[in-house]
Amino acid sequence: MSSSENRDKLIRTASRLFRSKGYAGVGLKEILEAADLPKGSLYYHFPGGKVELADAATRWAGDWVAAMLGQCFDQAASFKEGGVRACEALAAAAEPQSCVPACPVVSILQATPSEPALRKTAQEIYDMWTAGLARQAERFGVDDPQQAALSLHMRLQGAWILAYAQQSGAAFHHLAAELRKETVG
Amino acid sequence: MSSSENRDKLIRTASRLFRSKGYAGVGLKEILEAADLPKGSLYYHFPGGKVELADAATRWAGDWVAAMLGQCFDQAASFKEGGVRACEALAAAAEPQSCVPACPVVSILQATPSEPALRKTAQEIYDMWTAGLARQAERFGVDDPQQAALSLHMRLQGAWILAYAQQSGAAFHHLAAELRKETVG
DNA sequence: CACACATTAGACCATTTGGTCTATAAACGA
DNA sequence: TCGTTTATAGACCAAATGGTCTAATGTGTG
């Protein structure tokens, strides 16, 4: 029976729940009920238990975000436009949901003091995103690509927190409008 | 015996722990042990239990941040300088700690799906901060004070998340440097 | 001293937590 | 068909969870 099918279902379900209520706010019971799978499946696919599942779920969502950012910038004619497109994509991803999900990394961040393994994961995903943005900035000939990438990442994170708090994509649209108004580098 | 003394100790202890590990990541046992107080004290001062304590702790920390922002801008000669000072103040507050604490609002945000009372608190604190920043922007004659306030708040939130993730004040310093370089409004 | 009130102290409870373990069932090659 | 592997199924466990409740202990006032 397709090994990876239920494994993926666990990852997707866990990612959704963790991003809604945070690592510590979700119990295995809730994940298993939502995925309609028994505990045995979880510990077969993830012998490391909750931490390993959260790690996999966060990396999966992190890769998805990275791919989305890549698409936004590939379709753009400038770094600035890429940023605008990223805002709109994140807003679009947030809006149809019944719950606007938090940044996947944020959802495990508060668990890192107790679970050191997750700290490394969080840092790696952030580094991946920033590196991707820096590559795009370089491609568009931005003056200081590293600085531009960090700056955009920071603003996206801020917008994401506010969007999550307000359960609305408005913050992303606001940031998009702001980026549009800025002088073209 | 000074009623408010132990009540304050609970608030301070809870705020520190919640900001380090998040609302759901901290148990009452841990808070009570850290504050060296019995459970009876907690439920005497906060009949609403964990939620009421978290609410009080978050509002207390939220007021502290608001006051700090006020001071930064009162000492500044421009809105831009106020932003720079705020970054540096947040960095300074983060650096001596053994654990760089998260934004107090973020620490309860992930609990809001299960605890609706905390959602209102979170929104009120954010509104208070933004309103304070908007007042300052207006005072300095910034073009669109509301937009300037939202924009700065967003960037501070982003920096705060990255500072928490990296357990370092570097993100705040980075944002300060970035603000300094921007054209004076 | 006596009285009322404010506060502390922690035993106790039902529920939930993450995790382990054994038994079963399906899949598949020999 | 047999045997092995892969995966599901869920009973079970110790520990921790938030919360309630009753005693006891101040503490100040008449």
Side-chain angles (χ1 to χ4, degrees), chain B residues 25-48:
Chain B
V26 183
L28 296 187
K29 192 185 162 200
E30 189 177 355
I31 297 173
L32 293 171
E33 275 168 8
D36 196 30
L37 285 169
K39 195 168 268 192
S41 294
L42 199 168
Y43 279 89
Y44 174 76
H45 294 294
F46 304 95

Side-chain angles (χ1 to χ4, degrees), chain A residues 1 3 6 38 40-41 44-45:
Chain A
M1 175 79 58
S3 157
N6 285 343
S41 295
Y44 174 76
H45 293 294

Side-chain angles (χ1 to χ4, degrees), chain B residues 139-152:
Chain B
R139 181 167 79 84
F140 285 116
V142 172
D143 265 8
D144 186 344
Q146 189 61 28
Q147 131 81 21
L150 280 169
S151 169
L152 180 57

Side-chain angles (χ1 to χ4, degrees), chain B residues 95-164:
Chain B
E95 266 145 12
Q97 311 273 344
S98 68
C99 163
V100 173
C103 163
V105 175
V106 168
S107 71
I108 60 160
L109 224 44
Q110 290 176 325
T112 58
S114 323
E115 302 291 351
L118 294 180
R119 164 153 289 141
K120 190 165 164 272
T121 304
Q123 197 56 61
E124 284 177 13
I125 297 175
Y126 276 164
D127 287 349
M128 171 177 68
W129 292 350
T130 306
L133 291 177
R135 238 177 290 122
Q136 296 286 353
E138 200 172 10
R139 181 167 79 84
F140 285 116
V142 172
D143 265 8
D144 186 344
Q146 189 61 28
Q147 131 81 21
L150 280 169
S151 169
L152 180 57
H153 183 201
M154 202 179 272
R155 297 169 88 167
L156 286 171
Q157 285 294 338
W160 210 333
I161 286 289
L162 296 184
Y164 178 65

